[in-house]
Amino acid sequence: MGSRVTLRSVAEAAGVSTAAVSYAFNRPQRLSAEVRTRILAVARDLGYAGPNAAARSLRTGRANAVGVILTTELAYAFRDPYVLDLLGGLAETLAAGRTSLVLIPFAPVVAGLTDVQVRESLDAVHRAVIDGAVADGLTDAHPAVRALADRSLPLVLSAESSAARCVLIDDRQAGRTVGRHLVDLGHRDLAMVVAAPDPPGRLVPTVDEATLYPYSRNRLAGVRDALPPGARLRVVSGGGNATGSGHTAAAALLAGGDRPTAIVADSDVLAAAVAHTAAERGLRVGHDLSVTGFDDVPLAAAVGLTTVRQPIAEKGRLMARMLLDPAGTPNRVTLPTHLVVRSSTGPAPARRAGRTLT
Amino acid sequence: MGSRVTLRSVAEAAGVSTAAVSYAFNRPQRLSAEVRTRILAVARDLGYAGPNAAARSLRTGRANAVGVILTTELAYAFRDPYVLDLLGGLAETLAAGRTSLVLIPFAPVVAGLTDVQVRESLDAVHRAVIDGAVADGLTDAHPAVRALADRSLPLVLSAESSAARCVLIDDRQAGRTVGRHLVDLGHRDLAMVVAAPDPPGRLVPTVDEATLYPYSRNRLAGVRDALPPGARLRVVSGGGNATGSGHTAAAALLAGGDRPTAIVADSDVLAAAVAHTAAERGLRVGHDLSVTGFDDVPLAAAVGLTTVRQPIAEKGRLMARMLLDPAGTPNRVTLPTHLVVRSSTGPAPARRAGRTLT
DNA sequence: CTCCCGCTGTTAATCGATTAACAGAGTGCC
DNA sequence: GGCACTCTGTTAATCGATTAACAGCGGGAG
């Protein structure tokens, strides 16, 4: 009852060295069957549950766990199909390597974030007992990534990185493809709805592009690439990657007479919300308004969204493999994407009366 | 470059004791501003990222993380709305306590599971550096629960437990409510589709009730309670809690002329799959066949399922709170459930021709 | 002039294991 | 008989921190 039972107490009770007890648990064939059995019996009697996890981690330098940095609230992440698909891919590969997954929440880095919040989040990153980590959508500049790099842990990002290994998609190219698709359909007045790392629910009509997630920035640049001179592109955010933010953004864009003919959303979740809002306002999606998404999660097919497919689960599997087997995998992989055209996009509507184009 | 930089190397470089360095990171005001600044500067120069996580965990006995035992493959769990909702609730409360979530996969305990697989799973449980754990749907008898108990970690279950703390719903009562609802509608030939801890895809026409998840067993007992003498109840499983298993089970039940008039499913996911299969076969759900679910996840509302609502996220929040604050919370809580009647249930159809009842 | 206290910093014990190196005993082979 | 091995088990160093207890010092109170 007094002190907790340790390797040592078992050793003393069994009349052997601590090494023997350790071997009994970790390298059974290193000991004679007789001694091993006796040790295990004593351990059971004493209620010894096996070597202490933290001590073992310290001594061996291995944790048998990898971290995932999530920059949205966890409760929130569990509702994001992209995140779930990625986690699924990660988990699939990690489970095979008997590795647990540590979900590390990091306060969203907003302009107004206090030092205290960042420090607390960093603390969680520092305290995590892990062998490596993956951070999705974060760059080298993110404090969490820096902290992990300082700990000199293996790190896999899904954004361009000079220091860490990375699994990428060509966001700019993807943006270009979407842009071209819409331009080919005759659209000249576009808007882009992005998920900004801002508190959800707040409308940011004119987004400061410097604060965007790197992938958003690249997709935006791609869409711009595709636009002919004179075409218009507004950028709006309603908050994070959630239905609510999509509604907010769409409501702002569709109010008034000056609405775009096509809306490019940063994700399928946002796109579906935009489409839904449009439909509620009596617009026929794919006719009066074209909407595109990103990712091609199951929702996209269900709603009929034109979107860019990226192999999310494969990305997760690959990231996990790069973490588990640094030697046998490349440092940098670019995964393919392609445009999936469904019913949410169509020819630009004829110019509305009462609105003149220069 | 040579050896990794530790608290000690920083101390030597700064000409102070290791205690001072430790204080610089953990109790800033314990040191004069001057010394603290110097230490932190030296640390930065040396590339010291702060105290080692494992060592700190060992020394302080705290990990700032709690585990979640998942008995389905993780990739699978991330597709289960119940699990996601529960994780969301857990995460919400844990994040507030600056606690990470460790997802620990445990091989599904099937009859045919080898010792080796169990041992490997147990190893993951033993190696996890955590302060406590929650296990959903597992009883005291489960090896993972036993292992955790042996480690004398705080533990919260969602099943009746003598040793651990628990958050429950009254599954038997819920089963009774569903049963009564169907009996009142005139149904006398029922089937129950359960999620069995078996490899998915395998049809188990006559389930061995001893191997069921405890909650399934209780719900089954509840349904039986409600049946009048002479009524029939078959139990079938198509595997885990997934759409595919629901299809398998439904296909088996609906083939042949001897199909039940009502199917009680163990979860909304299964129920939706059953309803879908039935519809494919030309049956009108709610008329020719009644179907009920369990949980009331968003899917249930979308599909119009009659189901039993349970406060899943609340369950998660509560479990987390019981873990973080053992003193301030009760050992045992029962959460309310109630029947939500939608369009998937209706009066039993008139007895079909060609089929005689004794 | 003492006494006592608050500030800073150090000493040293401790958390609970892993594992390289070593040593004694038995064994097979020439 | 002697040598080289394989088996088992032990010794002792080490992983990287935290923190109670202590000590020197300067200053205000009595």
Side-chain angles (χ1 to χ4, degrees):
Chain A
M1 288 290 139
S3 61
R4 268 249 269 295
V5 33
T6 70
L7 199 65
R8 170 142 64 188
S9 42
V10 174
E12 279 165 7
V16 296
S17 67
T18 62
V21 180
S22 178
Y23 288 138
F25 281 95
N26 296 315
R27 273 201 261 290
Q29 65 265 44
R30 184 83 164 65
L31 258 36
S32 69
E34 187 201 7
V35 171
R36 170 169 27 97
T37 311
R38 182 158 49 88
I39 292 177
L40 294 179
V42 171
R44 196 178 337 272
D45 288 353
L46 262 50
Y48 181 65
N52 173 285
R56 186 195 285 232
S57 248
L58 170 59
R59 185 59 244 231
T60 63
R62 290 196 43 72
N64 282 76
V66 307
V68 180
I69 309 291
L70 294 170
T71 52
T72 58
E73 290 175 27
L74 291 187
Y76 204 74
F78 290 130
R79 239 156 259 147
D80 185 329
Y82 171 87
V83 173
L84 291 174
D85 211 2
L86 189 77
L87 285 176
L90 282 169
E92 194 177 313
T93 301
L94 292 178
R98 314 250 112 249
T99 305
S100 301
L101 205 54
V102 181
L103 271 24
I104 308 173
F106 199 98
V109 176
V110 190
L113 196 67
T114 65
D115 274 5
V116 154
Q117 285 172 293
V118 171
R119 203 168 17 245
E120 282 186 343
S121 289
L122 278 177
D123 206 48
V125 174
H126 279 127
R127 291 191 121 93
V129 181
I130 50 180
D131 298 319
V134 337
D136 182 70
L138 268 34
T139 59
D140 289 342
H142 192 280
V145 173
R146 283 218 288 260
L148 258 357
D150 284 350
R151 283 182 64 179
S152 54
L153 287 175
L155 196 54
V156 179
L157 304 183
S158 69
E160 194 63 65
S161 164
S162 51
R165 335 187 76 213
C166 48
V167 177
L168 305 162
I169 60 172
D170 189 338
D171 282 300
R172 180 149 188 174
Q173 179 57 46
R176 234 175 259 141
T177 307
V178 170
R180 196 174 314 127
H181 172 66
L182 291 171
V183 167
D184 287 351
L185 286 168
H187 296 277
R188 293 294 180 277
D189 189 357
L190 318 196
M192 181 153 177
V193 174
V194 299
D198 269 285
R202 200 175 101 211
L203 177 69
V204 186
T206 304
V207 171
D208 175 6
E209 295 183 13
T211 70
L212 291 184
Y213 284 117
Y215 59 82
S216 300
R217 207 156 47 225
N218 290 332
R219 292 173 194 174
L220 174 57
V223 174
R224 283 227 175 85
D225 290 346
L227 295 185
R232 174 153 86 136
L233 176 62
R234 280 169 276 180
V235 182
V236 177
S237 170
N241 181 34
T243 303
S245 338
H247 287 146
T248 308
L253 285 171
L254 300 178
D258 189 27
R259 61 173 163 80
T261 67
I263 298 183
V264 176
D266 212 10
S267 76
D268 291 334
V269 170
L270 290 175
V274 169
H276 189 251
T277 304
E280 270 182 354
R281 305 197 159 224
L283 296 174
R284 291 165 306 161
V285 172
H287 295 89
D288 304 323
L289 179 74
S290 286
V291 177
T292 69
F294 215 99
D295 297 341
D296 199 26
V297 299
L299 171 68
V303 177
L305 278 178
T306 293
T307 191
V308 175
R309 172 176 305 166
Q310 63 166 319
I312 307 174
E314 177 55 25
K315 201 178 191 175
R317 281 189 287 263
L318 199 53
M319 293 178 105
R321 233 175 305 134
M322 288 168 71
L323 223 42
L324 293 181
D325 174 25
T329 48
N331 282 325
R332 192 169 176 293
V333 179
T334 302
L335 259 23
T337 61
H338 69 272
L339 185 71
V340 178
V341 179
R342 297 204 182 86
S343 59
S344 71
T345 50
R351 204 171 301 156
R352 269 159 296 162
R355 176 149 179 270
T356 49
L357 222 53
T358 34
Chain B
M1 287 288 139
S3 61
R4 267 247 270 296
V5 33
T6 69
L7 199 65
R8 171 144 62 188
S9 43
V10 173
E12 280 165 6
V16 295
S17 67
T18 61
V21 180
S22 177
Y23 287 140
F25 281 94
N26 296 315
R27 271 201 262 289
Q29 66 266 42
R30 184 80 164 66
L31 258 35
S32 69
E34 186 199 9
V35 171
R36 169 169 29 96
T37 311
R38 181 159 50 87
I39 291 177
L40 293 179
V42 171
R44 194 176 342 268
D45 288 351
L46 263 48
Y48 181 66
N52 174 285
R56 186 194 284 232
S57 249
L58 170 60
R59 185 60 245 226
T60 62
R62 290 196 43 73
N64 282 76
V66 307
V68 180
I69 310 291
L70 294 171
T71 52
T72 58
E73 290 175 27
L74 291 187
Y76 203 75
F78 290 131
R79 239 156 260 146
D80 185 330
Y82 171 87
V83 172
L84 291 174
D85 211 3
L86 189 77
L87 284 176
L90 283 169
E92 193 177 311
T93 301
L94 292 178
R98 313 251 113 247
T99 305
S100 301
L101 206 54
V102 181
L103 270 25
I104 307 173
F106 199 97
V109 176
V110 190
L113 194 66
T114 66
D115 275 6
V116 153
Q117 286 172 292
V118 171
R119 206 169 14 246
E120 282 186 343
S121 289
L122 278 177
D123 206 49
V125 174
H126 279 128
R127 291 192 122 93
V129 182
I130 51 180
D131 297 321
V134 338
D136 182 70
L138 269 34
T139 58
D140 288 342
H142 192 281
V145 173
R146 283 219 287 260
L148 259 356
D150 284 351
R151 284 180 65 179
S152 52
L153 287 174
L155 195 55
V156 179
L157 304 184
S158 69
E160 194 63 66
S161 164
S162 51
R165 333 186 78 211
C166 48
V167 177
L168 305 161
I169 61 171
D170 190 338
D171 283 299
R172 180 150 190 174
Q173 179 57 46
R176 233 175 260 143
T177 308
V178 170
R180 195 175 315 128
H181 171 66
L182 291 170
V183 167
D184 286 352
L185 286 168
H187 296 275
R188 293 295 181 275
D189 188 357
L190 318 197
M192 182 154 176
V193 174
V194 298
D198 269 284
R202 200 174 103 211
L203 177 69
V204 187
T206 305
V207 171
D208 174 6
E209 295 182 13
T211 71
L212 291 184
Y213 283 117
Y215 59 81
S216 300
R217 207 156 48 224
N218 290 332
R219 292 173 194 174
L220 174 57
V223 174
R224 282 225 175 85
D225 290 345
L227 296 185
R232 176 152 85 136
L233 175 61
R234 282 170 274 181
V235 181
V236 177
S237 170
N241 182 32
T243 304
S245 339
H247 286 145
T248 307
L253 285 171
L254 300 179
D258 190 27
R259 60 176 164 75
T261 66
I263 299 183
V264 176
D266 213 10
S267 76
D268 290 335
V269 170
L270 290 174
V274 168
H276 189 252
T277 303
E280 269 181 356
R281 307 199 156 218
L283 297 174
R284 292 165 305 163
V285 172
H287 295 88
D288 305 321
L289 179 75
S290 286
V291 177
T292 69
F294 215 100
D295 296 342
D296 199 26
V297 300
L299 170 68
V303 178
L305 279 178
T306 293
T307 190
V308 175
R309 171 177 303 165
Q310 62 165 319
I312 307 176
E314 177 56 24
K315 201 178 191 176
R317 282 189 287 264
L318 199 52
M319 291 179 106
R321 231 174 308 134
M322 287 167 73
L323 223 41
L324 293 182
D325 175 24
T329 48
N331 283 326
R332 192 170 178 291
V333 179
T334 301
L335 259 23
T337 61
H338 68 273
L339 186 71
V340 179
V341 178
R342 297 205 182 86
S343 59
S344 71
T345 49
R351 203 172 301 157
R352 268 161 296 162
R355 174 145 183 276
T356 49
L357 223 56
T358 35

Coordinates of all heavy atoms in Angstrom, one line a residue, chain B residues 44-104:
Chain B
R44 N 18.9 29.4 -25.5 CA 18.6 29.7 -26.9 C 19.9 29.5 -27.8 O 19.8 28.8 -28.8 CB 18.1 31.1 -27.1 CG 17.4 31.3 -28.4 CD 16.7 32.7 -28.5 NE 16.5 33.4 -27.3 CZ 15.4 33.3 -26.5 NH1 14.4 32.5 -27.0 NH2 15.3 33.9 -25.4
D45 N 21.0 30.0 -27.3 CA 22.2 29.9 -28.1 C 22.6 28.4 -28.3 O 23.0 28.0 -29.4 CB 23.4 30.5 -27.4 CG 23.3 32.1 -27.4 OD1 22.4 32.5 -28.1 OD2 24.0 32.7 -26.7
L46 N 22.3 27.6 -27.3 CA 22.7 26.2 -27.4 C 21.7 25.4 -28.2 O 21.9 24.2 -28.5 CB 22.9 25.6 -26.0 CG 24.3 25.5 -25.5 CD1 25.0 26.9 -25.7 CD2 24.3 25.1 -24.0
G47 N 20.5 26.0 -28.4 CA 19.5 25.3 -29.1 C 18.7 24.4 -28.2 O 18.2 23.4 -28.6
Y48 N 18.7 24.8 -26.9 CA 18.0 24.0 -25.9 C 16.5 24.3 -26.0 O 16.1 25.4 -25.9 CB 18.5 24.3 -24.5 CG 17.8 23.4 -23.5 CD1 18.0 22.1 -23.4 CD2 17.0 24.1 -22.5 CE1 17.4 21.3 -22.4 CE2 16.4 23.3 -21.5 CZ 16.6 22.0 -21.5 OH 16.0 21.2 -20.5
A49 N 15.7 23.3 -26.2 CA 14.2 23.5 -26.5 C 13.4 23.4 -25.2 O 12.2 23.4 -25.3 CB 13.7 22.5 -27.5
G50 N 14.0 23.3 -24.1 CA 13.3 23.2 -22.9 C 13.4 21.8 -22.3 O 13.8 20.9 -23.0
P51 N 12.9 21.6 -21.1 CA 13.1 20.3 -20.4 C 12.5 19.2 -21.2 O 11.4 19.3 -21.8 CB 12.3 20.5 -19.1 CG 12.3 22.0 -18.9 CD 12.3 22.6 -20.2
N52 N 13.2 18.1 -21.2 CA 12.8 16.9 -21.9 C 11.5 16.4 -21.4 O 11.3 16.3 -20.2 CB 13.9 15.8 -21.7 CG 13.5 14.5 -22.3 OD1 12.7 13.8 -21.6 ND2 14.0 14.1 -23.4
A53 N 10.6 16.0 -22.3 CA 9.2 15.7 -21.9 C 9.2 14.4 -21.1 O 8.5 14.3 -20.0 CB 8.3 15.6 -23.1
A54 N 9.9 13.4 -21.5 CA 9.8 12.1 -20.8 C 10.4 12.2 -19.4 O 9.8 11.8 -18.4 CB 10.5 11.0 -21.6
A55 N 11.5 12.9 -19.3 CA 12.2 13.1 -18.0 C 11.3 13.8 -17.1 O 11.1 13.5 -15.9 CB 13.5 13.8 -18.2
R56 N 10.7 14.9 -17.6 CA 9.8 15.7 -16.8 C 8.6 14.9 -16.3 O 8.2 14.9 -15.1 CB 9.3 16.8 -17.6 CG 8.5 17.9 -16.9 CD 7.8 18.7 -17.9 NE 8.7 19.7 -18.5 CZ 8.5 21.0 -18.6 NH1 7.4 21.4 -18.1 NH2 9.3 21.8 -19.2
S57 N 8.1 14.1 -17.2 CA 7.0 13.2 -16.9 C 7.3 12.2 -15.7 O 6.6 12.0 -14.8 CB 6.5 12.4 -18.1 OG 5.3 12.8 -18.5
L58 N 8.5 11.7 -15.9 CA 9.0 10.7 -14.9 C 9.1 11.4 -13.5 O 8.6 10.9 -12.5 CB 10.3 10.1 -15.3 CG 11.0 9.3 -14.3 CD1 10.2 8.1 -13.9 CD2 12.4 8.8 -14.8
R59 N 9.8 12.5 -13.6 CA 10.1 13.2 -12.3 C 8.8 13.7 -11.6 O 8.6 13.5 -10.4 CB 11.0 14.3 -12.6 CG 11.5 15.0 -11.3 CD 12.3 14.1 -10.4 NE 11.5 14.0 -9.2 CZ 12.1 14.0 -8.0 NH1 13.4 14.1 -7.9 NH2 11.4 14.0 -6.9
T60 N 7.9 14.3 -12.4 CA 6.8 14.9 -11.7 C 5.6 14.0 -11.6 O 4.7 14.2 -10.8 CB 6.2 16.1 -12.6 OG1 5.8 15.6 -13.9 CG2 7.3 17.1 -12.8
G61 N 5.6 12.9 -12.4 CA 4.5 11.9 -12.3 C 3.3 12.4 -13.0 O 2.2 11.8 -12.9
R62 N 3.4 13.5 -13.8 CA 2.3 13.9 -14.6 C 2.6 13.9 -16.0 O 3.8 14.3 -16.4 CB 1.9 15.4 -14.2 CG 1.3 15.4 -12.8 CD 0.5 16.7 -12.6 NE -0.3 17.2 -13.7 CZ -1.4 16.6 -14.1 NH1 -1.9 15.5 -13.4 NH2 -2.1 17.0 -15.1
A63 N 1.7 13.6 -16.9 CA 1.9 13.5 -18.3 C 1.2 14.6 -19.1 O 1.5 14.9 -20.2 CB 1.5 12.2 -18.8
N64 N 0.2 15.2 -18.4 CA -0.6 16.2 -19.1 C -1.3 15.6 -20.4 O -1.3 16.2 -21.4 CB 0.2 17.4 -19.5 CG 0.4 18.3 -18.3 OD1 1.2 18.0 -17.5 ND2 -0.4 19.4 -18.3
A65 N -1.7 14.4 -20.3 CA -2.3 13.7 -21.4 C -3.2 12.6 -20.8 O -2.9 12.0 -19.8 CB -1.3 13.1 -22.3
V66 N -4.3 12.4 -21.5 CA -5.1 11.2 -21.1 C -5.4 10.3 -22.3 O -5.4 10.8 -23.4 CB -6.5 11.6 -20.5 CG1 -6.3 12.6 -19.3 CG2 -7.4 12.2 -21.5
G67 N -5.5 9.1 -22.1 CA -5.7 8.1 -23.2 C -7.1 7.8 -23.4 O -8.0 8.0 -22.6
V68 N -7.4 7.5 -24.7 CA -8.7 6.9 -25.0 C -8.5 5.6 -25.7 O -7.7 5.5 -26.7 CB -9.4 7.9 -26.0 CG1 -10.8 7.3 -26.4 CG2 -9.6 9.2 -25.5
I69 N -9.1 4.6 -25.1 CA -8.9 3.3 -25.7 C -9.9 3.1 -26.8 O -11.1 3.3 -26.6 CB -9.2 2.1 -24.7 CG1 -8.3 2.4 -23.4 CG2 -8.9 0.8 -25.3 CD1 -6.9 2.2 -23.7
L70 N -9.5 2.8 -28.0 CA -10.4 2.6 -29.1 C -10.3 1.1 -29.6 O -9.2 0.7 -29.9 CB -10.1 3.5 -30.2 CG -10.4 5.0 -29.9 CD1 -9.9 5.9 -30.9 CD2 -11.9 5.2 -29.6
T71 N -11.4 0.4 -29.6 CA -11.3 -1.0 -29.9 C -11.6 -1.3 -31.3 O -11.7 -2.5 -31.7 CB -12.2 -1.8 -29.0 OG1 -13.5 -1.2 -29.1 CG2 -11.8 -1.8 -27.5
T72 N -11.8 -0.3 -32.1 CA -11.9 -0.5 -33.5 C -10.7 0.1 -34.1 O -10.0 0.9 -33.4 CB -13.1 0.1 -34.2 OG1 -13.1 1.5 -33.9 CG2 -14.4 -0.4 -33.6
E73 N -10.3 -0.3 -35.3 CA -9.2 0.4 -35.9 C -9.4 1.9 -35.9 O -10.6 2.3 -36.1 CB -9.0 -0.1 -37.4 CG -8.5 -1.5 -37.4 CD -8.5 -2.0 -38.9 OE1 -8.3 -1.1 -39.8 OE2 -8.7 -3.2 -39.1
L74 N -8.4 2.6 -35.7 CA -8.6 4.1 -35.6 C -9.2 4.6 -36.9 O -10.1 5.5 -36.9 CB -7.2 4.8 -35.4 CG -6.6 4.5 -34.0 CD1 -5.4 5.4 -33.8 CD2 -7.6 4.9 -32.9
A75 N -8.7 4.2 -38.0 CA -9.2 4.7 -39.3 C -10.7 4.5 -39.4 O -11.4 5.2 -40.0 CB -8.5 3.9 -40.5
Y76 N -11.1 3.5 -38.7 CA -12.5 3.1 -38.6 C -13.3 4.0 -37.7 O -14.4 4.5 -38.0 CB -12.5 1.7 -38.1 CG -13.7 0.9 -38.5 CD1 -13.8 0.4 -39.8 CD2 -14.6 0.6 -37.5 CE1 -14.9 -0.4 -40.1 CE2 -15.7 -0.2 -37.8 CZ -15.9 -0.7 -39.1 OH -17.0 -1.5 -39.4
A77 N -12.7 4.2 -36.5 CA -13.3 5.0 -35.5 C -13.6 6.4 -36.0 O -14.6 7.0 -35.7 CB -12.4 5.1 -34.3
F78 N -12.7 6.9 -36.9 CA -12.9 8.3 -37.4 C -14.0 8.4 -38.3 O -14.3 9.5 -38.9 CB -11.6 8.8 -38.1 CG -10.5 9.0 -37.1 CD1 -9.2 8.5 -37.3 CD2 -10.7 9.8 -36.0 CE1 -8.2 8.7 -36.4 CE2 -9.7 10.0 -35.1 CZ -8.4 9.5 -35.3
R79 N -14.7 7.3 -38.6 CA -15.9 7.3 -39.5 C -17.2 7.1 -38.7 O -18.2 7.1 -39.2 CB -15.7 6.2 -40.5 CG -15.7 6.8 -41.9 CD -15.0 5.9 -42.9 NE -13.6 6.3 -43.1 CZ -12.6 5.5 -43.3 NH1 -12.8 4.2 -43.2 NH2 -11.4 6.0 -43.6
D80 N -17.0 6.9 -37.4 CA -18.1 6.6 -36.6 C -18.7 7.8 -35.9 O -18.0 8.4 -35.0 CB -17.7 5.5 -35.5 CG -18.9 5.0 -34.7 OD1 -19.8 5.8 -34.5 OD2 -18.9 3.8 -34.3
P81 N -19.8 8.3 -36.2 CA -20.3 9.6 -35.7 C -20.4 9.5 -34.2 O -20.2 10.6 -33.5 CB -21.7 9.8 -36.3 CG -22.0 8.5 -37.0 CD -20.8 7.7 -37.2
Y82 N -20.8 8.4 -33.6 CA -20.9 8.3 -32.1 C -19.5 8.6 -31.5 O -19.4 9.4 -30.6 CB -21.4 6.9 -31.7 CG -21.3 6.7 -30.2 CD1 -22.3 7.1 -29.4 CD2 -20.1 6.1 -29.7 CE1 -22.2 6.9 -28.0 CE2 -20.0 5.9 -28.3 CZ -21.1 6.3 -27.5 OH -21.0 6.2 -26.1
V83 N -18.5 7.9 -32.0 CA -17.1 8.1 -31.5 C -16.7 9.5 -31.6 O -16.1 10.1 -30.7 CB -16.2 7.1 -32.2 CG1 -14.7 7.4 -31.8 CG2 -16.5 5.7 -31.9
L84 N -17.0 10.1 -32.8 CA -16.5 11.4 -33.0 C -17.2 12.4 -32.1 O -16.5 13.3 -31.6 CB -16.8 11.8 -34.5 CG -16.0 11.1 -35.5 CD1 -16.4 11.4 -36.9 CD2 -14.5 11.4 -35.3
D85 N -18.4 12.2 -31.9 CA -19.1 13.1 -31.0 C -18.6 13.0 -29.6 O -18.4 14.0 -28.9 CB -20.6 12.7 -31.0 CG -21.5 14.0 -30.8 OD1 -20.9 15.1 -30.7 OD2 -22.7 13.8 -30.7
L86 N -18.3 11.8 -29.2 CA -17.8 11.5 -27.8 C -16.4 12.2 -27.7 O -16.1 12.9 -26.8 CB -17.7 10.0 -27.6 CG -17.3 9.6 -26.2 CD1 -18.5 9.8 -25.3 CD2 -16.8 8.2 -26.1
L87 N -15.5 11.9 -28.7 CA -14.2 12.5 -28.7 C -14.3 14.0 -28.7 O -13.5 14.7 -28.0 CB -13.4 12.1 -30.0 CG -12.9 10.7 -30.0 CD1 -12.2 10.4 -31.3 CD2 -11.9 10.4 -28.9
G88 N -15.3 14.6 -29.4 CA -15.4 16.0 -29.4 C -15.7 16.5 -28.0 O -15.1 17.5 -27.5
G89 N -16.6 15.8 -27.3 CA -17.0 16.2 -25.9 C -15.8 16.1 -25.0 O -15.5 17.0 -24.2
L90 N -15.1 15.0 -25.1 CA -13.8 14.8 -24.3 C -12.9 16.0 -24.6 O -12.4 16.6 -23.7 CB -13.2 13.5 -24.7 CG -13.7 12.2 -24.2 CD1 -13.1 11.0 -24.9 CD2 -13.5 12.1 -22.7
A91 N -12.6 16.2 -25.9 CA -11.6 17.2 -26.3 C -11.9 18.6 -25.7 O -11.1 19.3 -25.3 CB -11.5 17.2 -27.8
E92 N -13.2 18.9 -25.8 CA -13.6 20.2 -25.4 C -13.2 20.5 -24.0 O -12.7 21.5 -23.6 CB -15.2 20.2 -25.5 CG -15.8 21.6 -25.5 CD -17.3 21.5 -25.7 OE1 -17.7 20.8 -26.7 OE2 -18.0 22.0 -24.9
T93 N -13.5 19.5 -23.1 CA -13.2 19.7 -21.7 C -11.7 19.6 -21.4 O -11.1 20.3 -20.7 CB -13.9 18.6 -20.8 OG1 -15.3 18.8 -21.1 CG2 -13.6 18.8 -19.4
L94 N -11.0 18.7 -22.1 CA -9.6 18.5 -21.9 C -8.8 19.7 -22.3 O -7.8 20.1 -21.7 CB -9.1 17.2 -22.6 CG -9.7 15.9 -22.1 CD1 -9.2 14.7 -22.9 CD2 -9.3 15.7 -20.6
A95 N -9.2 20.2 -23.5 CA -8.4 21.4 -24.0 C -8.4 22.5 -22.9 O -7.3 23.1 -22.8 CB -9.0 21.9 -25.3
A96 N -9.5 22.6 -22.2 CA -9.5 23.7 -21.2 C -8.5 23.4 -20.1 O -8.0 24.3 -19.5 CB -10.9 23.8 -20.6
G97 N -8.2 22.1 -19.9 CA -7.2 21.7 -18.9 C -5.8 21.6 -19.5 O -5.0 20.9 -18.8
R98 N -5.6 22.0 -20.7 CA -4.3 21.9 -21.3 C -3.8 20.5 -21.3 O -2.7 20.2 -21.0 CB -3.2 22.8 -20.6 CG -3.6 24.1 -20.2 CD -2.9 25.1 -21.1 NE -3.8 25.8 -21.9 CZ -3.8 25.7 -23.3 NH1 -3.0 24.9 -23.9 NH2 -4.7 26.4 -24.0
T99 N -4.7 19.6 -21.7 CA -4.4 18.2 -21.7 C -4.5 17.6 -23.1 O -5.5 17.9 -23.8 CB -5.4 17.5 -20.8 OG1 -5.3 18.1 -19.5 CG2 -5.0 16.0 -20.6
S100 N -3.5 16.9 -23.5 CA -3.6 16.2 -24.8 C -4.4 14.9 -24.7 O -4.6 14.4 -23.7 CB -2.2 16.0 -25.4 OG -1.5 17.2 -25.4
L101 N -4.7 14.5 -25.9 CA -5.5 13.2 -26.0 C -4.7 12.2 -26.7 O -4.1 12.4 -27.8 CB -6.7 13.6 -26.9 CG -8.0 12.8 -26.7 CD1 -8.4 12.8 -25.3 CD2 -9.1 13.4 -27.6
V102 N -4.5 11.1 -26.1 CA -3.7 10.0 -26.7 C -4.7 8.9 -27.2 O -5.4 8.3 -26.4 CB -2.7 9.4 -25.7 CG1 -1.9 8.3 -26.4 CG2 -1.8 10.5 -25.2
L103 N -4.7 8.7 -28.5 CA -5.6 7.7 -29.0 C -4.8 6.3 -29.0 O -3.8 6.2 -29.7 CB -5.9 8.1 -30.4 CG -7.2 8.9 -30.6 CD1 -7.5 9.7 -29.4 CD2 -7.1 9.8 -31.9
I104 N -5.3 5.4 -28.3 CA -4.7 4.1 -28.2 C -5.5 3.0 -28.8 O -6.6 2.7 -28.4 CB -4.5 3.7 -26.7 CG1 -3.8 4.9 -26.0 CG2 -3.7 2.4 -26.6 CD1 -3.7 4.7 -24.5

